[in-house]
Amino acid sequence: MPGQRSITEAEKLAEAKLGGSSFRHDQMAVVANIYRAASAVRQHLENSVLRGVDLTWTAFVVLWVVWIWGESETRHVAEEAGISKGTLTGVARTLERRGLVQRADHPTDGRLVLLSLTDEGEQLMQRVFPAFNEEEAFVTGQLSDADCRTVADGLRRVVLQVEEKGEERRRDLLEGAAPAPRRSGRRKA
Amino acid sequence: MPGQRSITEAEKLAEAKLGGSSFRHDQMAVVANIYRAASAVRQHLENSVLRGVDLTWTAFVVLWVVWIWGESETRHVAEEAGISKGTLTGVARTLERRGLVQRADHPTDGRLVLLSLTDEGEQLMQRVFPAFNEEEAFVTGQLSDADCRTVADGLRRVVLQVEEKGEERRRDLLEGAAPAPRRSGRRKA
DNA sequence: CGGTATTTGTTCGGGTCCAAATCATACTTC
DNA sequence: GAAGTATGATTTGGACCCGAACAAATACCG
């Protein structure tokens, strides 16, 4: 395992600005770089393989989830894709309009909607996924297989921490105070 | 260094679906978990410290960049914040309307616009950053300081790879083909 | 000096994104 | 079976988001 990699200019500046006061430096670097990496990877994938087939990142993720899981209830798709139910409604509509996914009523529960790939969607994924995976390999090109497992492992622990303890943490932080509604959002009619 | 962490259900399903064909498994796990972690962290931060002061993630990042770098040209702020110039124009307008940042013309180059924090913006960041950093520590709570450095190191290499070799890679992939314009976007007048 | 090319920030079209409100269907309880 | 509750998906308002088109200013070049 090589030692500490080069720190970015921004991180040095932050160190200088905040060096006096006490703060969690290593933890800040993780969060900052998670986000930088996510943006960089998304940007690269959208501008390489996805643009050519006219898919946004989110649209691709939704397709991927339905591809891997097979016909699924929309609530599960939204959960797995990491987007809200409301967003999924719009994205699914776009994909349906393009003939890549189809909706179906649940046989016994009239509230549920099932999503599945059309033949065209299935063919698209068989064609696009290998190219997508190639670029996943490209963006991680500076990491060995072992490095990849280590990084993925660390990230999974971050996800787990938030999923398992996040809600409680947010409750404790508010200390019974009102949860402060979002500024944007629907108003009462 | 502990061994492999528990794999998520989705990753197992993907393995089953794709196990037959050849693909880069460890690299896929890195990309998938980068994005999952980014969403989880953003969600937690927005719903804990940011909501209370009515800031979105992006608005906070922009404030943070201007706070750390001091008065800066907008192109650099956009670059550092990881958003496009066009998006920054809108976010900066929102922040200006709320009295947190101010614009100024560049003394010698009339094309440039400089962004800086107002006193109110400065005070807000002094108040909010410690709380933000607390939550950065929370989300990384399952990682040791050394783990954090390892993960941040790996992520920096991903960012570096895309920044240094991404453009060339995309050129090579297209092989001279037209870069396929975005479906959405402004049309010629 | 007079163009032409480049570099800025801004505008804009289409699309995402969240969470609150709302609509629709199921379940529960009397 | 009617009222009330729970659980779905959808609609909606405001904010983001990108990248192409654009306008303005600067840089380059003959």
Side-chain angles (χ1 to χ4, degrees), chain A residues 5 26 35 42 149 153, chain B residues 5 26 35 42 149 153:
Chain A
R5 272 282 115 179
D26 296 334
Y35 217 74
R42 176 175 178 154
R149 285 191 290 272
D153 172 30
Chain B
R5 271 283 117 179
D26 296 334
Y35 217 75
R42 176 175 176 155
R149 285 191 290 272
D153 171 29

Side-chain angles (χ1 to χ4, degrees), chain A residues 1-7 9-11 13-14 17-18 23-24 26-31 33-38 40-42 44 47-48 51 54 57 64 67-69 80 122 129 133-143 145 147-159 161-163 165-166 169-170 173 179-183, chain B residues 1-7 9-11 13-14 17-18 23-24 26-31 33-38 40-42 44 47-48 51 54 57 64 67-69 80 122 129 133-143 145 147-159 161-163 165-166 169-170 173 179-183:
Chain A
M1 182 66 58
Q4 177 107 8
R5 272 282 115 179
S6 72
I7 309 294
E9 195 62 29
E11 288 176 70
L13 270 173
K17 172 105 186 177
L18 304 166
F23 74 107
R24 309 293 292 279
D26 296 334
Q27 287 72 14
M28 180 177 81
V30 170
V31 171
N33 284 296
I34 284 176
Y35 217 74
R36 285 169 63 84
V41 168
R42 176 175 178 154
H44 176 72
N47 288 336
S48 53
R51 185 78 72 84
D54 193 34
W57 173 274
W64 192 84
W67 189 47
I68 293 298
W69 287 71
E80 274 303 313
E122 184 80 27
F129 176 76
N133 188 236
E134 281 280 318
E135 295 316 302
E136 290 179 317
F138 166 73
V139 300
T140 53
Q142 297 302 316
L143 302 175
D145 283 10
D147 289 340
C148 284
R149 285 191 290 272
T150 302
V151 171
D153 172 30
L155 293 173
R156 273 188 215 107
R157 284 197 247 176
V158 171
V159 173
Q161 168 80 349
V162 176
E163 283 182 355
K165 310 220 184 97
R169 170 78 177 185
R170 288 191 291 274
L173 279 174
R182 229 175 186 244
R183 182 79 52 155
Chain B
M1 182 67 56
Q4 177 107 5
R5 271 283 117 179
S6 73
I7 308 293
E9 195 61 30
E11 288 177 67
L13 270 174
K17 171 106 185 174
L18 304 167
F23 74 106
R24 309 292 294 279
D26 296 334
Q27 287 73 15
M28 180 178 80
V30 170
V31 171
N33 283 295
I34 284 175
Y35 217 75
R36 285 170 62 86
V41 168
R42 176 175 176 155
H44 176 72
N47 288 335
S48 53
R51 185 79 72 84
D54 193 34
W57 174 274
W64 191 83
W67 189 46
I68 293 299
W69 286 72
E80 275 302 315
E122 184 81 26
F129 176 76
N133 187 237
E134 281 278 320
E135 296 315 303
E136 290 180 317
F138 166 73
V139 300
T140 54
Q142 298 301 317
L143 302 175
D145 282 11
D147 290 339
C148 284
R149 285 191 290 272
T150 302
V151 172
D153 171 29
L155 293 173
R156 272 187 216 108
R157 285 198 246 175
V158 171
V159 173
Q161 168 80 347
V162 176
E163 283 182 354
K165 310 219 183 96
R169 169 81 178 182
R170 290 190 291 274
L173 280 174
R182 229 171 187 249
R183 183 81 49 153

